[in-house]
Amino acid sequence: MELLHGTSLAAAIDLEAADIAAALGLESADAMRKQLMRRMGEHFERGGGATRLLSLAEAAAPLVRLVAATLRLARSAAASTSNALARCMESVGLGGFAPPLRDPPERRHDLSRALRTLVRVHGVAMLLDGVYNADPHPGNVLLLPDGRLGLIDYGMCGRLEGSARESIARVVLGLAAGDRAAVVDTYERAGYRACWHGGAPHGPDAVYRFATFHLDRIDLSPVGVGPGGEGGGGSATMPVMKLLRSTIEVSVPDWVEQARRLGGLLIGVGSQAGRPISLAHEWAPIAEEVLASAGGARAADARRLRTHLTGLSA
């Protein structure tokens, strides 16, 4: 057991929000979050996702983080200078005239790097090792001073056998490639069944969208339901929220349930930090190794860690 000293990911996200709000001249971090949530909503309605971790704040205003970092450095330098002066005056007997000691600004972290590591380490744990932390919300992740992540609270863990991990890997690769037929086939062969309230089965577009929510990204664009879809009135598409309200899941395989819980948490953490992700693209190299391992070609652990957790090529 090791005692870890660090900042929770939740606190780091809040600190960054406050920095960006100050740099943009907004009255509060909440005002900035409202703007960001509106932009992200529009992003999700267009299909969402990304081939890498993305900061919408950076995309909208490339100088914002530079300004925020400059302000932060200025505050840190001012605090350090004031404290040094106070200690110097105290050492020569002038402590009564010294300015009060000031707390330096809280340490900021590279959130993009931390989130990418978080996503990948859980992909390695679930897909390659088969044992993983099933509750990696921002309060259970510490950002350590040396740049490492501290993962705490393993009170909820998941376990998956090899065949289940291979199924998840096939879905991940299908989603990354946009291969609807492969994704739907894997779900249906495993026994996943969803239907309208009236009992008619869903078509492949709906099943593919569910899998997208589970293991790729938030996509709020209209869903194809085809003619005759219950509640669709013969229309070719349906708003995604109406589809979800009109759906009954009749059968959900255990690996789908486990994968969508972990995938949904990681996708949600990225969105909370203003960096919506494509989980399938982040996990695709790991999924490829899972299927290669099934054929007896397993990479050495050192290569796995270097490739999957850092993104460096072998």
Side-chain angles (χ1 to χ4, degrees):
M1 184 78 67
E2 180 183 357
L3 178 63
L4 300 176
H5 297 279
T7 303
S8 77
L9 178 57
I13 291 172
D14 288 341
L15 287 171
E16 184 183 73
D19 283 347
I20 295 175
L24 290 174
L26 299 176
E27 59 184 19
S28 68
D30 286 340
M32 188 281 301
R33 287 193 195 95
K34 288 179 181 178
Q35 288 193 17
L36 188 56
M37 290 303 103
R38 176 179 54 78
R39 292 195 193 110
M40 279 202 292
E42 295 168 352
H43 174 67
F44 295 148
E45 288 172 0
R46 293 192 298 270
T51 56
R52 59 180 176 82
L53 290 172
L54 173 69
S55 165
L56 292 185
E58 287 176 341
L63 294 179
V64 165
R65 289 174 193 270
L66 175 61
V67 172
T70 302
L71 292 175
R72 189 165 60 248
L73 287 173
R75 291 196 298 269
S76 179
S80 298
T81 300
S82 177
N83 290 344
L85 176 61
R87 293 189 179 98
C88 180
M89 294 178 69
E90 185 175 354
S91 69
V92 296
L94 297 176
F97 300 97
L101 293 177
R102 296 166 55 181
D103 292 329
E106 294 185 67
R107 176 186 173 86
R108 267 52 170 183
H109 299 266
D110 184 344
L111 281 184
S112 292
R113 178 178 180 274
L115 288 165
R116 191 169 198 182
T117 300
L118 179 69
V119 166
R120 291 187 171 197
V121 75
H122 282 85
V124 168
M126 170 177 267
L127 295 177
L128 288 175
D129 299 326
V131 181
Y132 63 94
N133 181 358
D135 196 25
H137 63 77
N140 280 345
V141 180
L142 297 179
L143 307 185
L144 307 185
D146 61 3
R148 293 180 300 155
L149 294 187
L151 305 178
I152 62 175
D153 190 357
Y154 275 68
M156 185 182 295
C157 290
R159 294 177 180 271
L160 288 166
E161 297 299 327
S163 59
R165 287 182 271 134
E166 290 165 20
S167 294
I168 296 172
R170 283 192 287 272
V171 171
V172 165
L173 291 175
L175 289 168
D179 188 342
R180 184 187 71 171
V183 171
V184 173
D185 181 67
T186 302
Y187 262 49
E188 292 184 343
R189 281 178 179 270
Y192 180 84
R193 298 290 184 271
C195 66
W196 302 103
H197 284 178
H202 277 317
D205 283 340
V207 176
Y208 184 72
R209 180 62 60 87
F210 297 150
T212 298
F213 280 130
H214 297 165
L215 282 165
D216 189 21
R217 66 191 189 277
I218 299 173
D219 181 355
L220 301 181
S221 62
V223 185
V225 294
E230 181 176 320
S235 174
T237 63
M238 174 182 288
V240 68
M241 298 310 296
K242 183 177 181 180
L243 171 68
L244 295 174
R245 290 192 300 268
S246 304
T247 294
I248 297 174
E249 288 186 313
V250 179
S251 175
V252 181
D254 178 67
W255 65 261
V256 173
E257 184 63 46
Q258 291 198 50
R260 71 182 182 183
R261 174 180 171 78
L262 180 62
L265 275 169
L266 294 174
I267 292 167
V269 170
S271 299
Q272 183 179 342
R275 294 162 172 83
I277 66 170
S278 166
L279 187 67
H281 280 90
E282 292 296 329
W283 279 10
I286 307 170
E288 289 172 353
E289 185 174 328
V290 171
L291 298 183
S293 298
R298 183 179 177 85
D301 284 348
R303 178 182 178 278
R304 289 167 58 208
L305 291 173
R306 181 172 181 239
T307 302
H308 300 320
L309 303 188
T310 67
L312 299 175
S313 59

